[in-house]
Amino acid sequence: MKVLIVGGGGREHAIASALLRDERVSELVCAPGNGGIAKLARCVPVKATDIEGQVALALEEKPDLVVVAPDDPLAMGLVDRLTEKGIRAFGPNAAAAQIEASKSFAKSLMEKYGIPTAACGVFDDAESARAYVKEKGAPIVVKADGLALGKGVTVASTVEEALEAVDSAFGGAFGAAGSRVVIEECLFGPEVSMLCFTDGKSIKTMVPSQDHKRVFDGDKGPNTGGMGAVSPVPCYTEEIHDRCVKEIFEPTVAAMNAEGCTFKGVLYCGLMLTENGPKVIEYNCRFGDPETQVVLPRLESSLLEIMLAITEERLSEVDVVWDKGACVTVVLASGGYPGKYQTGFEISGIEEAEKAGGLVFHAGTKAGENGAVLTSGGRVLAVSAKADDLDSALANAYAAAEKIDFEGKHFRTDIGCHAK
Ligand code: AMP
Ligand code: GLY
């Protein structure tokens, strides 16, 4: 079978590796891909958000399956467009992708169907948003409504900070994503990412994982796309899981059906385990990054089979089996990320890291001359490693990550700090 993957980060590299574990995958194409994916797939330079370009590529390549991995093309309706052309595509359609693309859609859905989440108000003008902040007091959370690359959220510890966030969103800091603002009660507790496969009829949950969003050790500094992840998450017990299935995952899939926007693909539930039970912080309509780099290495079943089954609404027939061990990923970023950073530096030590047992997933890399691999993005590599338990997986991931070098390399040294 020929598979086309849309996207080009560490997540897509992990998806490509997992798909190739099924020997039915005879040809892999990735658009745009990156320097690491190029070793597994033929990369074609079409941007993930170039919907016309992606449709044209799929019509030309005639893949048996297109996997649309990032949120933007999903929200822009790439799966709808491919399906109209008779091409089998994995991922939610645009209507279902609203669960991530519009925080106000997600909040109203949870409110209407009684799914536990933070109390909130939704505002289309600065004046009423400011009045709400003053009425509720701090701490309080201010979120731009639309997709803002994970940067549209301010957890404000003072009223002044919250008011500034309101003004900056309505002042255009996040473009159209900030013309509507969601203001939420601040929740406390450990965060867990639960990714679920669903075809709208049944749900198969993945193993839990935990991201580390801040750039520096001790959860200091600005939010990033994610600096590392671990799986499993010890505080996410069987008991909590059963509760999440009944109170969150099943009701969410049922709610999407009831709203006429059946969700088929990966539903990512960002949870906070509060004193009053698990609550939804956010939904994403796709695999997480870097969560995928710790979750998919633990998948023993065929990812291809699961994806095909979802497109045919027969997920209930497929066994989804996970290993009993652990996996950790450490993200190596460019110096300065998530602010300004330079690119084009040669990366050394990737083979040594792989020899040391690391699974090196490329995020922001490109092929240089004579086989060299160069940095080309903020998050450069996600270095994962597996083991029987979390402590050993952590040691293995750091041992592998330390073999790799490039100018300005920055990483957190405390991945796993919340899992102890
Ligand atoms: P989001 O983009 O919605 O995932 O938010 C980014 C981060 O902000 C989350 O991972 C949380 O750490 C934090 N956050 C979001 N909403 C809340 C909330 N209601 N209470 C506390 N922290 C939150
Ligand atoms: N790691 C967070 C996300 O993928 O949205």
Short mmCIF file of all heavy atoms in Angstrom, two decimals, residues 103 107 118 141 143 150-153 155 184-188 191 213 223 272 281-282 284, ligand 1:
data_model
loop_
_atom_site.label_atom_id
_atom_site.label_comp_id
_atom_site.label_asym_id
_atom_site.label_seq_id
_atom_site.Cartn_x
_atom_site.Cartn_y
_atom_site.Cartn_z
N LYS A 103 -12.13 27.25 20.46
CA LYS A 103 -12.27 26.94 21.88
C LYS A 103 -13.69 27.20 22.35
O LYS A 103 -14.20 26.51 23.22
CB LYS A 103 -11.27 27.75 22.71
CG LYS A 103 -9.83 27.30 22.48
CD LYS A 103 -8.89 27.81 23.55
CE LYS A 103 -7.43 27.63 23.18
NZ LYS A 103 -6.94 26.25 23.20
N LYS A 107 -16.03 24.65 24.32
CA LYS A 107 -16.60 24.98 25.63
C LYS A 107 -18.12 24.82 25.61
O LYS A 107 -18.69 24.29 26.56
CB LYS A 107 -16.24 26.41 26.05
CG LYS A 107 -14.77 26.68 26.31
CD LYS A 107 -14.12 25.83 27.38
CE LYS A 107 -14.50 26.12 28.79
NZ LYS A 107 -13.60 25.47 29.78
N ALA A 118 -13.34 23.63 32.99
CA ALA A 118 -13.31 24.86 33.78
C ALA A 118 -14.49 25.75 33.40
O ALA A 118 -14.84 25.84 32.22
CB ALA A 118 -12.00 25.60 33.50
N VAL A 141 -7.61 32.46 33.59
CA VAL A 141 -6.95 32.05 32.35
C VAL A 141 -7.61 32.72 31.15
O VAL A 141 -8.84 32.70 31.03
CB VAL A 141 -7.01 30.51 32.20
CG1 VAL A 141 -6.29 30.06 30.93
CG2 VAL A 141 -6.38 29.83 33.42
N LYS A 143 -7.79 32.96 26.99
CA LYS A 143 -7.43 32.18 25.79
C LYS A 143 -7.98 32.83 24.53
O LYS A 143 -9.16 33.17 24.48
CB LYS A 143 -8.01 30.76 25.87
CG LYS A 143 -7.54 29.96 27.06
CD LYS A 143 -8.10 28.54 27.04
CE LYS A 143 -7.47 27.73 28.16
NZ LYS A 143 -7.89 26.32 28.13
N GLY A 150 -0.53 27.19 20.11
CA GLY A 150 -0.28 26.95 21.53
C GLY A 150 0.16 28.20 22.29
O GLY A 150 0.49 28.13 23.46
N LYS A 151 0.15 29.36 21.60
CA LYS A 151 0.68 30.55 22.26
C LYS A 151 -0.43 31.51 22.67
O LYS A 151 -0.16 32.59 23.16
CB LYS A 151 1.70 31.24 21.35
CG LYS A 151 2.97 30.41 21.27
CD LYS A 151 3.93 30.87 20.21
CE LYS A 151 5.01 29.81 20.01
NZ LYS A 151 5.42 29.69 18.62
N GLY A 152 -1.68 31.14 22.46
CA GLY A 152 -2.79 32.05 22.74
C GLY A 152 -3.35 31.95 24.15
O GLY A 152 -4.43 32.47 24.41
N VAL A 153 -2.62 31.28 25.05
CA VAL A 153 -3.16 31.07 26.41
C VAL A 153 -2.30 31.80 27.45
O VAL A 153 -1.10 31.66 27.46
CB VAL A 153 -3.18 29.55 26.75
CG1 VAL A 153 -3.63 29.32 28.18
CG2 VAL A 153 -4.08 28.80 25.77
N VAL A 155 -2.05 32.09 31.56
CA VAL A 155 -2.51 31.73 32.90
C VAL A 155 -2.05 32.90 33.78
O VAL A 155 -0.89 33.01 34.13
CB VAL A 155 -1.89 30.39 33.36
CG1 VAL A 155 -2.37 30.01 34.76
CG2 VAL A 155 -2.21 29.27 32.37
N GLU A 184 -11.36 31.70 31.53
CA GLU A 184 -11.67 30.49 32.30
C GLU A 184 -11.21 30.55 33.73
O GLU A 184 -10.16 31.13 34.03
CB GLU A 184 -10.90 29.30 31.70
CG GLU A 184 -11.53 28.66 30.54
CD GLU A 184 -10.79 27.39 30.14
OE1 GLU A 184 -9.86 26.93 30.84
OE2 GLU A 184 -11.18 26.88 29.09
N GLU A 185 -11.91 29.83 34.55
CA GLU A 185 -11.49 29.53 35.91
C GLU A 185 -10.13 28.82 35.84
O GLU A 185 -9.91 27.99 34.95
CB GLU A 185 -12.58 28.61 36.48
CG GLU A 185 -12.21 27.72 37.61
CD GLU A 185 -13.19 26.54 37.76
OE1 GLU A 185 -13.94 26.19 36.82
OE2 GLU A 185 -13.18 25.96 38.84
N CYS A 186 -9.24 29.12 36.78
CA CYS A 186 -7.93 28.47 36.80
C CYS A 186 -8.03 27.16 37.57
O CYS A 186 -8.48 27.13 38.71
CB CYS A 186 -6.91 29.39 37.47
SG CYS A 186 -5.24 28.82 37.25
N LEU A 187 -7.63 26.07 36.90
CA LEU A 187 -7.67 24.75 37.53
C LEU A 187 -6.28 24.38 38.02
O LEU A 187 -5.28 24.85 37.49
CB LEU A 187 -8.15 23.70 36.53
CG LEU A 187 -9.53 23.89 35.91
CD1 LEU A 187 -9.79 22.81 34.87
CD2 LEU A 187 -10.62 23.87 36.98
N PHE A 188 -6.24 23.49 39.01
CA PHE A 188 -4.95 23.04 39.55
C PHE A 188 -4.91 21.52 39.58
O PHE A 188 -5.92 20.89 39.88
CB PHE A 188 -4.75 23.60 40.96
CG PHE A 188 -4.70 25.10 40.98
CD1 PHE A 188 -5.87 25.84 41.21
CD2 PHE A 188 -3.52 25.77 40.73
CE1 PHE A 188 -5.84 27.22 41.20
CE2 PHE A 188 -3.48 27.16 40.72
CZ PHE A 188 -4.64 27.88 40.96
N GLU A 191 -1.33 17.53 34.80
CA GLU A 191 -1.91 17.47 33.45
C GLU A 191 -1.54 16.14 32.79
O GLU A 191 -0.41 15.67 32.92
CB GLU A 191 -1.37 18.61 32.60
CG GLU A 191 -2.06 19.92 32.88
CD GLU A 191 -1.57 21.02 31.95
OE1 GLU A 191 -1.68 20.88 30.72
OE2 GLU A 191 -1.08 22.03 32.48
N LYS A 213 5.42 21.82 28.75
CA LYS A 213 5.22 22.91 27.79
C LYS A 213 6.18 24.08 27.94
O LYS A 213 6.50 24.74 26.97
CB LYS A 213 3.79 23.42 27.90
CG LYS A 213 2.79 22.42 27.32
CD LYS A 213 1.53 23.07 26.83
CE LYS A 213 0.74 22.11 25.96
NZ LYS A 213 -0.51 21.66 26.55
N ASN A 223 5.69 29.35 27.20
CA ASN A 223 5.18 28.09 26.65
C ASN A 223 5.80 27.80 25.30
O ASN A 223 6.11 28.71 24.53
CB ASN A 223 3.65 28.19 26.47
CG ASN A 223 2.91 27.59 27.65
OD1 ASN A 223 3.37 26.64 28.27
ND2 ASN A 223 1.77 28.17 27.96
N MET A 272 -6.86 17.86 33.16
CA MET A 272 -6.24 18.23 34.42
C MET A 272 -6.92 17.40 35.50
O MET A 272 -8.15 17.36 35.57
CB MET A 272 -6.37 19.72 34.69
CG MET A 272 -5.38 20.18 35.73
SD MET A 272 -5.29 21.97 35.84
CE MET A 272 -3.93 22.38 34.83
N ILE A 281 -9.00 20.40 29.79
CA ILE A 281 -8.35 21.70 29.59
C ILE A 281 -8.51 22.11 28.13
O ILE A 281 -8.73 23.26 27.79
CB ILE A 281 -6.84 21.59 29.91
CG1 ILE A 281 -6.63 21.39 31.40
CG2 ILE A 281 -6.07 22.77 29.39
CD1 ILE A 281 -6.55 22.68 32.16
N GLU A 282 -8.33 21.15 27.25
CA GLU A 282 -8.46 21.43 25.82
C GLU A 282 -8.67 20.12 25.07
O GLU A 282 -8.30 19.05 25.55
CB GLU A 282 -7.21 22.12 25.26
CG GLU A 282 -5.98 21.24 25.37
CD GLU A 282 -4.81 21.65 24.47
OE1 GLU A 282 -4.99 22.48 23.57
OE2 GLU A 282 -3.72 21.10 24.68
N ASN A 284 -7.73 18.47 21.24
CA ASN A 284 -7.08 18.64 19.95
C ASN A 284 -7.66 17.57 19.03
O ASN A 284 -8.15 16.53 19.48
CB ASN A 284 -5.56 18.48 20.06
CG ASN A 284 -4.94 19.63 20.84
OD1 ASN A 284 -5.36 20.78 20.70
ND2 ASN A 284 -3.97 19.33 21.68
P1 AMP B 1 -4.09 25.03 25.99
O1 AMP B 1 -3.46 25.67 24.78
O2 AMP B 1 -5.55 25.25 26.12
O3 AMP B 1 -3.65 23.61 26.15
O4 AMP B 1 -3.41 25.71 27.24
C1 AMP B 1 -2.00 25.71 27.40
C2 AMP B 1 -1.66 25.44 28.85
O5 AMP B 1 -2.24 26.43 29.69
C3 AMP B 1 -2.23 24.14 29.37
O6 AMP B 1 -1.43 23.05 29.06
C4 AMP B 1 -2.30 24.40 30.85
O7 AMP B 1 -1.04 24.20 31.45
C5 AMP B 1 -2.64 25.86 30.92
N1 AMP B 1 -4.08 26.03 31.12
C6 AMP B 1 -5.03 26.11 30.16
N2 AMP B 1 -6.26 26.24 30.69
C7 AMP B 1 -6.09 26.26 32.03
C8 AMP B 1 -6.98 26.36 33.16
N3 AMP B 1 -8.30 26.53 32.99
N4 AMP B 1 -6.44 26.32 34.38
C9 AMP B 1 -5.10 26.19 34.56
N5 AMP B 1 -4.22 26.08 33.57
C10 AMP B 1 -4.69 26.11 32.30
#
